[in-house]
């Protein structure tokens, strides 16, 4: 595997989940695979889970791990061509990325949507420069449009907790004080479309996700109808795609509380975290026995470990 940016990169989903669950059973079975191999994790944005779980995954495989918070500890990077660099950015991404490539065997990069320009975000301007210029396999640690390690962990978690062959999974928008990227919902849609689940997305009007992700996906604007019969509720906020990066609603009637969960088929509650309590979800729901957010975060190690293992096997 040369890159992990989207669902197609992992191939057969059942095989991938099986491999992840086998690594979960025996995390150190391949600890010699990564000997004398180095992974560099570059963060343009904050992280708790992705940083720690990806480090842990690489360490389980015996790799050396280097992590750089590029905005805090590196030089601020210019990414435009033709700029006279007389401002606050001392280094160009076109030198920085090939240099990073000299120091490692695999690169992970986190670079969120910046909401300045929809085309720049949706063309994955930053991530693509890592692919183009590093000369090394690249793993997305959440890009402008996708968060595939999260969605892979979500799928593993659904597989572990489902009580029927084809569960109903509902992605629900929920309110938030800030404008958040569409990466997590886009990716979740992409993975659920390819999984054996009944999948419904619910959100207020104006929060339609990009058509390239939503083709063939059921949208139910009535949140109660969407929740009826659900086995998994996956909550997430995102800012508007059509009115790019705008907050159109902070309607707290969309907050997932006990009354919402009562509409479901005793559904499990999921969220990628970090989550703002009593905006996205109430204390009661996230602390209830049906909340599987910690198990979901735990599976981040095994989604990452599956991907890194496959990359090491193909180096
Ligand atoms: N990696 C998981 C989610 C990361 C990011 N959340 C955030 O930025 C939350 C920040 C806040 O709550 O202020 C997102 O939605 O894409
Ligand atoms: N879920 C997730 O990616 O968390 P972090 O942003 O903390 O890495």
């Amino acid at each position: 595997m040369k890159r992990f940016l989207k669902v197609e990169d992992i191939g057969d989903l059942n095989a991938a989940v099986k491999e992840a669950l086998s690594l979960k059973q025996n995390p150190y079975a391949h600890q010699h695979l990564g000997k004398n191999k180095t992974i560099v994790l570059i963060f343009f944005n904050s992280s708790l889970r992705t940083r720690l779980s990806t480090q842990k995954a690489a360490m389980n495989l015996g790799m050396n791990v280097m992590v750089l918070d590029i905005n805090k500890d590196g030089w601020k990077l210019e990414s435009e061509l033709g700029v006279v660099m007389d401002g606050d950015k001392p280094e160009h991404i076109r030198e920085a990325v090939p240099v990073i490539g000299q120091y490692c065997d695999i690169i992970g990069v986190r670079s969120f949507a910046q909401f300045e320009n929809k085309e720049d975000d949706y063309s994955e301007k930053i991530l693509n420069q890592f692919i183009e210029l590093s000369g090394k396999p690249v793993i997305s640690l959440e890009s402008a449009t996708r968060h595939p390690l999260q969605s892979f962990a979500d799928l593993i978690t659904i597989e572990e907790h489902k009580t029927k062959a084809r569960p109903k999974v509902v992605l629900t928008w929920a309110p938030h004080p800030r404008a958040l990227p569409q990466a997590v919902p886009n990716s979740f849609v992409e993975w659920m479309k390819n999984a054996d689940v009944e999948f419904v997305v619910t959100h207020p009007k104006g929060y339609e996700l990009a058509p390239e992700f939503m083709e063939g996906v059921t949208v139910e604007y009535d949140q109660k109808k969407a929740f009826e019969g659900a086995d998994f509720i996956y909550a997430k906020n995102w800012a508007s795609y059509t009115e790019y990066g705008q907050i159109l609603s902070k309607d707290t009637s969309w907050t997932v509380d006990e009354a919402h969960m009562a509409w479901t088929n005793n559904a499990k509650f999921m969220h990628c975290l970090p989550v703002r309590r009593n905006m996205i979800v109430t204390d009661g729901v996230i602390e209830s026995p049906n909340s599987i957010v910690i198990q979901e975060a735990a599976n981040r190690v095994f989604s990452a470990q599956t991907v890194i293992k496959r990359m090491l096997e193909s180096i």
Side-chain angles (χ1 to χ4, degrees):
M1 188 192 276
K2 290 287 174 230
R3 58 187 64 164
F4 182 68
L5 317 173
K6 54 173 80 161
V7 71
E8 294 92 75
D9 297 329
I10 199 82
D12 182 78
L13 288 189
N14 287 328
V17 169
K18 221 172 138 198
E19 190 171 339
L21 290 173
S22 139
L23 289 170
K24 190 171 183 174
Q25 287 296 313
N26 202 350
Y28 306 112
H30 306 275
Q31 58 183 322
H32 301 297
L33 193 60
K35 188 171 160 39
N36 295 333
K37 295 282 191 293
T38 300
I39 188 167
V40 167
L41 307 177
I42 303 287
F43 287 88
F44 286 85
N45 313 93
S46 305
S47 170
L48 186 153
R49 278 144 292 274
T50 304
R51 170 190 289 240
L52 296 181
S53 63
T54 312
Q55 281 195 51
K56 180 71 171 93
M59 292 189 302
N60 287 353
L61 293 163
M63 295 189 85
N64 299 309
V65 186
M66 300 195 289
V67 182
L68 183 62
D69 258 327
I70 202 130
N71 290 328
K72 284 193 212 124
D73 303 325
W75 302 107
K76 214 163 179 232
L77 298 183
E78 178 58 64
S79 59
E80 298 295 328
L81 278 177
V83 173
V84 177
M85 288 173 55
D86 61 354
D88 65 339
K89 295 174 180 163
E91 177 148 32
H92 203 283
I93 196 164
R94 294 189 70 84
E95 283 80 54
V97 171
V99 167
I100 293 165
Q102 302 300 307
Y103 304 145
C104 63
D105 303 283
I106 298 175
I107 299 183
V109 57
R110 164 165 286 197
S111 170
F112 288 178
Q114 293 176 30
F115 284 143
E116 282 163 15
N117 180 314
K118 188 178 193 167
E119 281 66 43
D120 282 358
D121 287 342
Y122 271 72
S123 66
E124 295 288 6
K125 206 170 158 191
I126 302 293
L127 181 69
N128 280 337
Q129 304 211 49
F130 276 83
I131 295 161
E132 183 196 331
L133 301 170
S134 70
K136 296 289 151 73
V138 173
I139 301 177
S140 165
L141 305 176
E142 187 172 339
S143 71
T145 64
R146 291 173 176 87
H147 193 4
L149 285 176
Q150 181 64 52
S151 309
F152 185 8
D154 297 335
L155 179 63
I156 298 165
T157 312
I158 289 169
E159 283 299 317
E160 285 180 313
H161 288 89
K162 70 182 186 186
T163 53
K164 57 169 80 127
R166 196 161 185 276
K168 178 174 176 182
V169 178
V170 177
L171 167 63
T172 182
W173 179 93
H176 194 282
R178 295 181 52 228
L180 297 188
Q182 292 113 21
V184 170
N186 284 345
S187 230
F188 190 68
V189 167
E190 195 171 64
W191 285 66
M192 286 302 114
K193 269 196 328 201
N194 285 281
D196 192 13
V197 299
E198 179 192 346
F199 184 52
V200 176
V201 180
T202 183
H203 55 71
K205 291 236 160 75
Y207 280 96
E208 291 76 14
L209 292 163
E212 66 207 73
F213 291 94
M214 291 304 288
E215 205 189 311
V217 175
T218 306
V219 177
E220 170 55 70
Y221 290 100
D222 181 332
Q223 195 188 23
K224 184 169 189 285
K225 274 195 195 150
F227 273 45
E228 279 164 10
D231 299 296
F232 293 90
I233 297 297
Y234 192 97
K236 185 70 185 85
N237 172 267
W238 62 90
S240 174
Y241 172 76
T242 42
E243 292 182 51
Y244 194 59
Q246 300 301 303
I247 298 174
L248 308 180
S249 168
K250 291 186 185 173
D251 181 357
T252 50
S253 75
W254 283 77
T255 300
V256 180
D257 63 8
E258 287 86 338
H260 284 66
M261 292 303 281
W263 298 334
T264 71
N265 179 33
N266 194 28
K268 302 281 191 254
F269 176 82
M270 299 179 72
H271 189 281
C272 64
L273 306 179
V275 71
R276 295 199 184 223
R277 286 180 176 216
N278 306 309
M279 288 293 302
I280 301 279
V281 58
T282 57
D283 293 318
V285 170
I286 200 163
E287 298 219 3
S288 75
N290 281 26
S291 168
I292 53 171
V293 296
I294 307 302
Q295 294 92 322
E296 187 182 351
N299 282 331
R300 291 293 307 275
V301 174
F302 306 104
S303 62
Q305 197 169 332
T306 306
V307 168
I308 297 169
K309 172 176 169 281
R310 288 184 179 191
M311 282 187 173
L312 287 170
E313 284 165 347
S314 68
I315 284 174

